Amino acid sequence: MDKTKTVKILGGELPEDHPLVKTGRSIEDGVDLMKSLMLENYKVWSNIPEDKTASECAESDVIRENMYSEFARKLGHLKGNKYIKITTGGRNSACGFIVNTHNDKKFKYGDVLKAASWCAPARNFPRGNVIEDSVEDMRRGLSWTGPC
């Protein structure tokens, strides 16, 4: 029996040394992990079975499953010079931001910030870091609505 430690994300298991799971990940992997954890939280919030995918939910007669599929389809990100905007429901709807520069006087590269508006982050304090935080730390600091 294989004794490799794994981390469960969206119903699948990834080894602890997977680029999405281990700390020191790239900013791109951090963005993907953040979006995956938001989708996972939406599934729990909606009481959707862990093993059901967004594409399977698209054809469902259950309204909450259709809503999950639509949320998954519209969850995205826009990369800018200073921030990566995490979008839900379209390009003009932001739920969070990730610092995308090494030259910010207050925040580190990869810091997660709440959205103050659809075009600007709340610059009071970081809610985590997509590069340095463990999966469990990120899971605690996120909901499907964005950073907590």
Side-chain angles (χ1 to χ4, degrees), residues 4-25:
T4 305
K5 290 188 176 184
T6 60
V7 175
K8 208 168 200 178
I9 299 174
L10 279 175
E13 293 197 18
L14 297 174
E16 278 188 336
D17 63 346
H18 190 279
L20 276 180
V21 175
K22 66 181 181 179
T23 58
R25 64 188 70 86

Side-chain angles (χ1 to χ4, degrees), residues 120-131:
R123 290 187 50 89
N124 49 1
F125 61 91
R127 273 43 180 204
N129 188 292
V130 297
I131 296 169

Side-chain angles (χ1 to χ4, degrees), residues 52 57 60-67:
K52 205 156 197 187
C57 288
S60 175
D61 293 334
V62 180
I63 293 172
R64 66 175 185 224
E65 291 180 1
N66 288 139
M67 291 174 69

Side-chain angles (χ1 to χ4, degrees), residues 19-35 37 84 86 97-99 108-113 127-135 138 142:
L20 276 180
V21 175
K22 66 181 181 179
T23 58
R25 64 188 70 86
S26 70
I27 191 105
E28 292 83 9
D29 286 341
V31 170
D32 289 342
L33 177 60
M34 183 174 170
K35 293 190 313 186
L37 294 176
I84 299 171
I86 306 300
F97 291 83
I98 299 168
V99 176
K108 295 186 297 187
Y109 183 66
D111 276 351
V112 178
L113 307 174
R127 273 43 180 204
N129 188 292
V130 297
I131 296 169
E132 299 170 358
D133 288 355
S134 69
V135 172
M138 286 183 67
L142 286 172

Side-chain angles (χ1 to χ4, degrees), residues 76-90:
H77 68 278
L78 297 170
K79 195 170 188 174
N81 292 332
K82 289 184 177 182
Y83 304 106
I84 299 171
K85 182 193 299 189
I86 306 300
T87 60
T88 57

